[in-house]
């Protein structure tokens, strides 16, 4: 057992939809590591959407804190999580605690681990806009969790550089983003889209949920999407609506009954991947979707003022359009009507990973925990530009079939 007489106890924590998606491949890799004994903790900051994803990836939580309440506030959620996490740490006594991203769950897990003097490993470390209030509260959550972490799994070289600027240089490994692991494995299975869409129409896929968008910005997003549907008769909009009550109320009141706009419940991961593959343009404020769309060769318009994921914008396959309805309409219409522009933005690129982030994470963790390097395996890193060839094939097929007209 790598120089120790017992397996290393790893506590893996998930709370929301994207955490389940991005941790599922890590859990898979941990389960096949002979040195690791893994316990899965669900804070259930999200209830329905977390269960939907855990079910899709066939992950069962060993501990469930059942923390979600209708329209929960940030302080009340944090106040519920800390003592419950501490009690779990006291009983499970992990050698290391793992969590992913920038949610309230992640900050609570990092802090609870720190109080118990247990090393915290941060998956998807180092993303920054550089503005502590944007996105709110995620940038602060990620900065604070990073300050408390012993291991930092940075998806890209840019994320490592961000950490270095804050003086964090030890325990940092560039591994790629685990969402690309989940995406490639799911896309490979070619899941069906369980909705009947008009095959003659191009699909514009929309998601939105950020707290920064609550109030007027989400209404402005809705007006933009409505205008796109009105102007382009050969376009159909699919919008799986996030259950956050502030978002859902606005989207349903602004978009209900609009011709060629289809609102639906959140899709399971396979169905959503199928929808992304079927789409011509993706409009989103989601972190995960910004990472996935370029890997599928789909142009993505990011409905935010700034993004902690600048790599795709730099590569020219994503554009920041903000939440102003006129800008959303202008940039979407350009993609839908200008084939050269469409081709430039849909050439397929995967700056966020190559599908092997999870195995790297597990190997780096093993070394950190003192597992014999022969058993831990090589400690390699992700280098941009080594993206998976298969993804590009998906991109080419779809672009050929459904690009700008
Ligand atoms: C949370 C994260 C955000 C992440 C997003 C992913 C925080 C502060 N926010 O935002 O960073 O990008 O998840 O989707 O950590 N709800 C349900 N069912 C669900 C999930 C949510 O009904 O399955 C409703 C509940 O009323 C809940 C509300 O949405 O109170 C807000 O959930 P919360 O996790 O606090 O914030 P999100 O806006 O979902
Ligand atoms: N997603 C999904 N079903 C949906 C909408 C999104 O499976 O109906 C996936 C999407 O592919 C991505 C993740 O959920 O991997 C993004 O989650 P979300 O936008 O809620 O959070 P964020 O990434 O912004 O934190």
């Amino acid at each position: 057992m790598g120089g120790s007489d017992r397996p290393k106890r790893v506590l893996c924590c998930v709370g929301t939809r994207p955490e389940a998606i991005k941790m599922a491949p890590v859990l898979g890799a941990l389960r096949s590591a002979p040195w690791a004994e893994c316990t899965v903790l669900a804070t259930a900051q999200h209830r329905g959407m977390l269960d939907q994803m855990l079910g899709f990836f066939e992950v069962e939580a060993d501990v469930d804190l059942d923390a979600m309440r209708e329209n929960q506030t940030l302080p009340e959620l944090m106040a519920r999580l800390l003592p419950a996490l501490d009690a779990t740490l006291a009983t499970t006594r992990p050698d290391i605690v793992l969590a992913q991203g920038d949610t309230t769950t992640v900050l609570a897990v990092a802090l609870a681990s720190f109080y118990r003097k247990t090393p915290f490993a941060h998956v998807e470390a180092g993303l920054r806009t550089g503005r502590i209030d944007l996105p709110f509260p995620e940038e602060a959550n990620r900065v604070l969790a990073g300050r408390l972490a012993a291991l930092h799994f940075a998806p890209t070289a840019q994320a490592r550089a961000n950490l270095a600027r804050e003086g964090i240089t030890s325990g940092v490994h560039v591994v790629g983003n685990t969402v690309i692991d989940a995406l490639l494995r799911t896309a490979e299975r070619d899941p069906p889209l369980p909705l009947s869409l008009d095959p003659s129409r191009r699909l514009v896929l929309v998601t939105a949920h950020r707290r920064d968008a609550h109030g007027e910005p989400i209404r402005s997003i809705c007006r933009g999407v409505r205008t796109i549907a009105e102007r382009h008769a050969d376009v159909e909009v699919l919008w799986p609506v996030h259950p956050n009550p502030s978002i859902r109320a606005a989207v349903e009141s602004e978009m209900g009954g609009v011709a060629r706009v289809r609102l639906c419940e959140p899709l399971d991961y396979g169905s959503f991947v199928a929808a992304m593959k079927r789409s011509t343009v993706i409009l989103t404020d989601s972190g995960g979707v910004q990472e996935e769309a370029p890997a599928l060769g789909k142009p993505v318009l990011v409905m935010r003022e700034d993004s902690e994921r600048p790599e795709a914008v730099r590569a020219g396959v994503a554009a920041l359009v903000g939440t102003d309805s006129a800008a959303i309409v202008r940039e979407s219409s350009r993609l839908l009507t200008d084939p050269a522009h469409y081709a430039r933005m849909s050439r397929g690129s995967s700056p966020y990973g190559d599908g092997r982030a999870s195995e790297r994470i597990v190997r780096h963790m093993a070394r950190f925990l003192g597992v014999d390097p022969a058993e831990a395996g090589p400690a390699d890193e992700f280098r941009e530009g080594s993206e998976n060839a298969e993804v590009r094939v998906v991109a080419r097929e779809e672009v050929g079939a459904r690009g700008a007209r």
Side-chain angles (χ1 to χ4, degrees):
M1 202 51 65
S4 156
D5 54 358
R6 65 163 179 84
K8 305 292 181 190
R9 289 189 293 265
V10 184
L11 181 66
C12 295
C13 304
V14 293
T16 67
R17 166 169 70 189
E19 292 162 65
I21 296 167
K22 290 175 170 180
M23 285 289 275
V26 182
L27 289 170
L30 271 172
R31 293 227 154 98
S32 48
W35 56 266
E37 190 179 273
C38 184
T39 301
V40 178
L41 177 146
T43 66
Q45 172 180 338
H46 282 177
R47 183 75 276 171
M49 292 204 299
L50 182 72
D51 293 346
Q52 183 183 38
M53 289 308 157
L54 294 179
F56 178 81
F57 289 104
E58 298 177 351
V59 170
E60 238 175 83
D62 302 294
V63 181
D64 192 322
L65 305 185
D66 200 21
M68 194 193 92
R69 300 292 180 274
E70 185 64 16
N71 222 353
Q72 61 209 359
T73 65
L74 300 175
E76 93 189 57
L77 175 61
M78 180 58 93
R80 251 194 314 280
L81 288 178
L82 274 178
L85 286 167
D86 186 57
T88 306
L89 288 170
T91 52
T92 55
R93 294 183 298 111
D95 295 296
I96 193 161
V97 180
L98 199 60
Q100 182 282 331
D102 58 7
T103 61
T104 300
T105 287
V106 176
L107 177 55
V109 168
L111 193 53
S113 306
F114 175 71
Y115 287 155
R116 283 267 162 197
K117 300 193 169 152
T118 306
F120 168 66
H122 192 195
V123 177
E124 202 184 72
L127 279 62
R128 299 286 187 269
T129 61
R131 274 189 55 180
I132 199 70
D133 61 339
L134 194 78
F136 177 88
E138 289 84 3
E139 176 90 352
N141 287 346
R142 206 188 294 267
V143 168
L144 295 167
R147 187 67 187 81
L148 298 171
L151 272 178
H152 312 260
F153 297 116
T156 64
Q158 165 88 60
R160 168 160 49 201
N162 294 340
L163 289 168
R165 261 197 303 280
E166 293 168 15
I168 300 173
T169 52
S170 119
V172 180
H173 305 285
V174 178
V175 293
N177 198 307
T178 59
V179 79
I180 304 298
D181 306 15
L183 176 69
L184 294 187
R185 282 170 212 171
T186 305
E188 215 172 71
R189 284 155 52 189
D190 206 13
L193 179 59
L195 296 167
S196 57
L197 297 173
D198 183 337
S200 70
R201 293 206 161 96
R202 294 179 293 170
L203 185 67
V204 173
L205 180 63
V206 182
T207 80
H209 72 78
R210 303 234 77 85
R211 277 168 199 254
D212 316 85
H214 290 187
E216 173 49 27
I218 184 67
R219 292 191 180 275
S220 173
I221 287 173
C222 287
R223 287 195 297 276
V225 173
R226 202 165 57 209
T227 308
I228 294 164
E230 282 160 7
R231 277 205 197 152
H232 301 277
D234 66 335
V235 157
E236 185 170 11
V237 172
L238 178 64
W239 189 336
V241 184
H242 195 284
N244 186 308
S246 309
I247 294 295
R248 184 157 283 211
V251 175
E252 285 175 353
S253 81
E254 296 278 338
M255 306 300 292
V258 177
R260 296 191 310 281
V261 173
R262 174 98 167 254
L263 304 182
C264 68
E265 289 299 315
L267 297 170
D268 73 48
Y269 192 59
S271 306
F272 191 75
V273 169
M276 286 193 285
K277 284 174 73 177
R278 166 71 174 77
S279 66
T280 297
V281 175
I282 300 177
L283 297 176
T284 194
D285 66 6
S286 159
V289 179
Q290 279 178 72
E291 292 153 346
E292 294 160 333
L296 293 172
K298 301 300 174 175
V300 60
L301 299 179
V302 180
M303 300 185 292
R304 293 173 48 179
E305 303 309 325
D306 202 353
S307 175
E308 66 282 43
R309 295 168 169 88
E311 291 87 350
V313 176
R314 248 192 331 253
V317 294
L320 281 176
V321 294
T323 57
D324 174 56
S325 55
I328 292 168
V329 172
R330 188 181 61 243
E331 292 307 315
S332 304
S333 297
R334 191 170 167 216
L335 277 169
L336 290 166
T337 56
D338 178 346
H341 180 56
Y342 187 86
R344 276 193 300 275
M345 277 195 75
S346 60
R347 47 180 205 284
S349 153
S350 192
Y352 301 108
D354 60 359
R356 294 177 44 223
S358 308
E359 48 191 89
R360 292 190 184 104
I361 286 172
V362 170
R363 291 198 295 260
H364 285 295
M365 272 174 50
R367 283 162 182 259
F368 175 84
L369 291 168
V371 174
D372 184 334
E375 193 182 340
D380 68 325
E381 299 217 330
F382 166 64
R383 287 211 319 276
E384 229 174 300
S386 58
E387 64 262 41
N388 186 306
E390 219 174 315
V391 186
R392 293 188 159 229
V393 173
V394 174
R396 273 199 299 273
E397 280 168 3
E398 298 289 315
V399 170
R402 304 185 176 279
R405 288 175 185 165

